[in-house]
Each structure stands twice: as structure tokens, then as C-alpha cells.
Amino acid sequence: MLIPGTHYRLALTHSILALSQVINAATHYRLDYPDLALILALVRGGSLARASALLKVDVSTVFRAVRRLEAALGQQLFEKSRAGYLPTTLAQTLAEQAERAEQALDAARIGVEQGGEVISGTVRLTCTDSVLQGLLLPALAQFMPSYPALTLELSTSNDFANLSRRDADIALRLTRAPPEHLVGRRLADISYRVCASTAYLKSVDPEDLASLTWIAPDDFLPDHPTVAWRRQQLPGVTPAYRCNSMLSVTELVRAGLGVAALPDFLIGDELQPLTGPLHGYDTALWLLTRPDCRALRSVVTLFDELGRALRLP
């Protein structure tokens, strides 16, 4: 069993060893940007044909260039297989370096064009799929076009592990009490209401909640506020549908398959609330980051922009 964090140290060790291979290779050869661009194109493309299209040269030129580079370095960069050209550890490490160089060059070009300092780099953001669809995407559409050199990596998750493991820089979370080791802002209070589609309500009595077909996130989100409310208020109800996310729950309600308690930001015009806010079972939207990320301009910029742009409908 790996000790938590061990795989990160191993990855760093592999990266250092790969770079040392370049240093210890034929010392008379010095890597330049075209070499890195070649490696990056073949890693991205996975085949000579796709790499040649990315580089805008013919296939034979890419093939010969790779052979010459491997000979100059004294190291194999790619292994040919039925799946295409598979990068070695060395090639993968050099491709990552090439990608950073590419981003830096793009940022420099944009800076010259705009005549000022440019926010650049990669920021990793994690949130739930419901927050992504209901709140984050409209906010990103407002300000991300103003940061062409800023790269955003998005992942969806229902816990804080990503941020704690340093897999992400910023998190948007629905919670009453975020972990104390994170820093952030409470952006808004979130309420839940029992909702159904107009089509579903045509054939049922909306006053008798216990008799309705229920949709819930029991299996994957056992501590969700809506689950706690239903178990407390309707203990005899067994959901007919269980989903692994609140976004999926919402889509089933929209399809007319039953009712569910949904957050306000996912309730559109096509859904009809059957109750008021479920008092005592509300939560809050938090914008969070790690303390060490506050020194990174790219993270601070995105954090501040999200704080201004995220608004509940």
C-alpha cells in the first residue's frame, strides 16, 4: 500500500530522472524549442499523421526529425505500437516542459499585443457538477475571455479531498462548515425546495408528498441536506430513483419521473416548487483555496473574479 502522497514524490523523482537523462545524454547536443515542439506535437497527436498536421509538415519530415533527435540524445523518446506512438517517461517529461514554454510564449505575445502585463498560467478548479452547470459556467462566460493566457482545468467532485491533496487550487463547495485549513469566502446561502415538473403534477396529488414518486441522491451522497430532510419528515418514503449527483436528480425531475428537493439555483421555469424553503436544511456556497495559493497571481485573479461574478439566479 502506498503511503498518501508517495505517488507524488515518485512522479517528481521520475521527472528528475528523466531530465537527468537529457543532461547525461550526448552533451554536445543542446535541445531547442523546435525539438520540444516536435515532441509535444507527437505526444498530443499520438501518431505521425496527426503530429504532422499539428506542425504543418509532411509525415516523413516528422519521422526523420524524431529519429535524428533520438540519435542526438542517445535516448528513445517513443515506442511504436498498434495504438500509435507512445511516449517514454523522458518524452512525457519533455512534453510537459514544452507545454509550459508554449504557454509562456503565448503570454508574452499577448502581453506585447495588449501593451501590458498578462495573467497567465494554469489554475485547477473543482466543484460539483450541479454547481458547474447552474452557477460556474455562466460566471466563467463573463470574464474568462478577458484572460486569454489563463488556462483553467475543471474537475467535478463531491468532497474536499481534491483541494486537500493539492490536486486543485480553488474549490466551489456547498457546505455549512468548510475545513479549517482552507481559506475563502461565503458567497451565498442556498435553500432547497421540493419540486416537480408540470407534466408530472397533472396525474398526482401534490399535497400528499408521501404518495409521490421520489428521486434522491441516497447512494452517493448519504449526508446531503435533502436526504436528511426526507428521512426526518417522510420516514416511510423509499425513493424510486437514486442518482450519483444532484444534477442527475434534477434532470430526472425535469423528465417528469417524480419529485425531489432541489437547490434554488437548479430550479428553472419548467419546474414547480411544491414547498417553501426547507428550513433548517439549508447550506451555503463557499469559494475556497489553500493558504499557499494566495501567493499565485493566477489563482488570486481567478478567485477574485469568481467572487464578483458568481450570483444566484
Side-chain angles (χ1 to χ4, degrees):
M1 178 183 296
L2 283 176
I3 299 173
T6 302
H7 59 292
Y8 294 108
R9 292 195 293 272
L10 288 175
L12 177 60
T13 301
H14 290 160
S15 179
I16 293 172
L17 288 175
L19 288 175
S20 69
Q21 289 175 350
V22 177
I23 296 172
N24 295 327
T27 55
H28 63 277
Y29 187 81
R30 295 175 62 87
L31 280 170
D32 55 21
Y33 187 76
D35 294 328
L36 293 179
L38 169 68
I39 295 170
L40 182 58
L42 195 47
V43 168
R44 284 174 172 170
S47 70
L48 292 176
R50 286 192 286 270
S52 66
L54 290 172
L55 295 171
K56 295 181 173 56
V57 297
D58 57 63
V59 172
S60 61
T61 298
V62 175
F63 177 76
R64 290 193 301 270
V66 171
R67 285 291 186 88
R68 283 197 299 267
L69 184 56
E70 288 180 331
L73 294 175
Q75 299 286 339
Q76 185 176 6
L77 294 173
F78 295 90
E79 298 175 2
K80 194 174 187 309
S81 70
R82 291 182 178 179
Y85 276 70
L86 303 179
T88 62
T89 301
L90 173 59
Q92 190 65 51
T93 301
L94 291 174
E96 292 170 2
Q97 298 286 344
E99 196 161 48
R100 284 193 282 273
E102 181 182 69
Q103 292 171 352
L105 185 58
D106 287 341
R109 288 170 176 160
I110 294 169
V112 171
E113 293 170 1
Q114 296 183 351
E117 189 175 2
V118 174
I119 303 298
S120 63
T122 299
V123 180
R124 299 163 300 168
L125 189 153
T126 179
C127 63
T128 64
D129 54 1
S130 59
V131 170
L132 175 67
Q133 293 291 331
L135 297 174
L136 180 59
L137 293 184
L140 293 179
Q142 293 180 35
F143 65 82
M144 280 301 288
S146 300
Y147 299 96
L150 187 62
T151 300
L152 183 59
E153 294 182 357
L154 294 169
S155 66
T156 54
S157 169
N158 290 309
D159 56 40
F160 290 100
N162 285 359
L163 212 58
S164 301
R165 291 196 310 261
R166 298 176 180 268
D167 291 345
D169 306 308
I170 295 176
L172 278 167
R173 287 288 180 254
L174 297 176
T175 181
R176 290 182 177 180
E180 293 183 359
H181 66 279
L182 301 178
V183 295
R185 303 177 190 170
R186 182 187 179 111
L187 298 181
D189 292 324
I190 304 295
S191 298
Y192 296 89
R193 305 167 193 263
V194 177
C195 298
S197 69
T198 303
Y200 176 77
L201 292 176
K202 290 179 179 178
S203 59
V204 299
D205 177 8
E207 299 295 329
D208 186 6
L209 295 180
S211 68
L212 303 179
T213 301
W214 278 83
I215 305 164
D218 284 354
D219 290 344
F220 293 87
L221 299 170
D223 300 321
H224 197 273
T226 63
V227 175
W229 175 86
R230 195 196 71 251
R231 288 174 174 169
Q232 176 68 31
Q233 301 297 323
L234 303 169
V237 167
T238 299
Y241 301 93
R242 291 185 172 89
C243 305
N244 63 355
S245 75
M246 286 304 298
L247 186 62
S248 299
V249 170
T250 305
E251 291 305 315
L252 265 66
V253 175
R254 285 199 181 105
L257 296 176
V259 303
L262 302 175
D264 286 340
F265 63 84
L266 288 180
I267 302 173
D269 295 337
E270 70 276 19
L271 297 181
Q272 181 175 332
L274 305 183
T275 68
L278 307 181
H279 296 296
Y281 296 90
D282 54 349
T283 186
L285 177 66
W286 282 85
L287 178 62
L288 301 163
T289 187
R290 304 192 314 270
D292 59 291
C293 285
R294 291 182 294 182
L296 302 175
R297 290 198 64 224
S298 56
V299 174
V300 171
T301 298
L302 182 61
F303 190 93
D304 290 342
E305 288 285 9
L306 287 171
R308 288 189 289 266
L310 282 165
R311 296 289 183 269
L312 292 182

